[in-house]
Amino acid sequence: MAEKITDRDVLLVVDVQNDFCPGGNLPVPNGDEVVPVVNRLGSRFAHVVLTQDWHPQGHQSFASSHPGRKPFETIALPYGDQVLWPDHCVQGTTGAEFHGRLQVPHAELVLRKGYHRAIDSYSAFFENDRTTPTGLSGYLRERGLTRLFVAGLAFDFCVRYSAEDAHRAGFGVVVIDDACRAIDVDGSAAATRRSLAELGIPLIRADAIA
Ligand SMILES: [Zn+2]
């Protein structure tokens, strides 16, 4: 069944940045393939919000901040388990810029996240301590936007956490499968599909959006 876009819907484009694309510092396999899909989708939504992963140097999610640790290991931080990543999306670097072919000039908000040195932020709504809000919920409510269509990178981290938090916050949410790509650490892509299904969050294809 086709989902019809309304005035209260918003396309949330998660982290379509150079570092998450091939050639970047934390490339999601085929991450750049989402760009044309997002561009086509974006032109059909009146409301578009972009998120931008935006870390200071020495961020706690970087393996380089933990001597003896390597990227993709998991460590315990005060707020819980954290996967360690290569340095990526450092504020002001080319890697942190949006992909050069991303074309959504009418996007109304660029929401930066991950700027607190001691806390990562996969979700567009809450940092990884699960209590520090980014402000997105308030923004959407004040603007009367009630349903999110989520696209971007990576499917199994920032897209997943954003979609699940949107659902918990009481927003409608749909994930656009072919507008996302996964990084797939230890089965995280399959775990994401299971989790979205359990929460009743639809995973649809872009061509099912009318
Ligand atoms: Zn990050």
Side-chain angles (χ1 to χ4, degrees):
M1 198 182 75
E3 295 285 349
K4 195 171 176 344
I5 302 169
T6 79
D7 232 21
R8 297 166 74 82
D9 292 331
V10 59
L11 179 66
L12 181 72
V13 180
V14 176
D15 296 2
V16 181
Q17 293 166 259
N18 290 326
D19 269 345
F20 294 126
C21 292
N25 286 336
L26 177 43
V28 176
N30 305 310
D32 55 338
E33 290 178 2
V34 306
V35 173
V37 186
V38 167
N39 289 348
R40 277 196 298 276
L41 275 170
S43 66
R44 300 168 51 206
F45 279 79
H47 307 295
V48 179
V49 171
L50 309 178
T51 71
Q52 189 173 28
D53 211 32
W54 196 248
H55 299 308
Q57 302 232 17
H59 192 256
Q60 285 294 295
S61 76
F62 297 167
S64 62
S65 301
H66 304 273
R69 296 294 188 160
K70 290 201 269 308
F72 307 106
E73 290 181 7
T74 298
I75 63 162
L77 288 180
Y79 56 79
D81 285 350
Q82 171 71 46
V83 179
L84 295 177
W85 306 107
D87 290 22
H88 65 278
C89 297
V90 173
Q91 295 167 1
T93 61
T94 305
E97 290 173 10
F98 292 114
H99 190 282
R101 290 194 299 279
L102 186 68
Q103 277 293 332
V104 276
H106 62 301
E108 295 166 334
L109 175 71
V110 175
L111 182 105
R112 288 175 166 170
K113 61 184 180 62
Y115 43 75
H116 289 134
R117 190 178 306 269
I119 317 178
D120 204 2
S121 189
Y122 293 154
S123 165
F125 289 89
F126 286 97
E127 300 191 6
N128 284 12
D129 61 2
R130 317 302 300 140
T131 56
T132 306
T134 64
L136 181 59
S137 212
Y139 173 88
L140 296 173
R141 287 194 209 288
E142 284 202 356
R143 298 209 50 222
L145 300 169
T146 56
R147 183 170 63 160
L148 296 92
F149 287 73
V150 189
L153 306 169
F155 171 74
D156 38 346
F157 286 89
C158 295
V159 167
R160 173 188 177 175
Y161 281 74
S162 298
E164 293 182 0
D165 280 352
H167 174 79
R168 284 189 198 99
F171 294 100
V173 57
V174 174
V175 176
I176 309 163
D177 202 5
D178 52 326
C180 301
R181 292 292 182 278
I183 193 154
D184 206 12
V185 178
D186 295 333
S188 53
T192 298
R193 288 177 190 282
R194 282 195 301 275
S195 178
L196 294 176
E198 278 165 22
L199 291 168
I201 298 173
L203 194 56
I204 66 167
R205 292 189 55 83
D207 60 12
I209 300 171

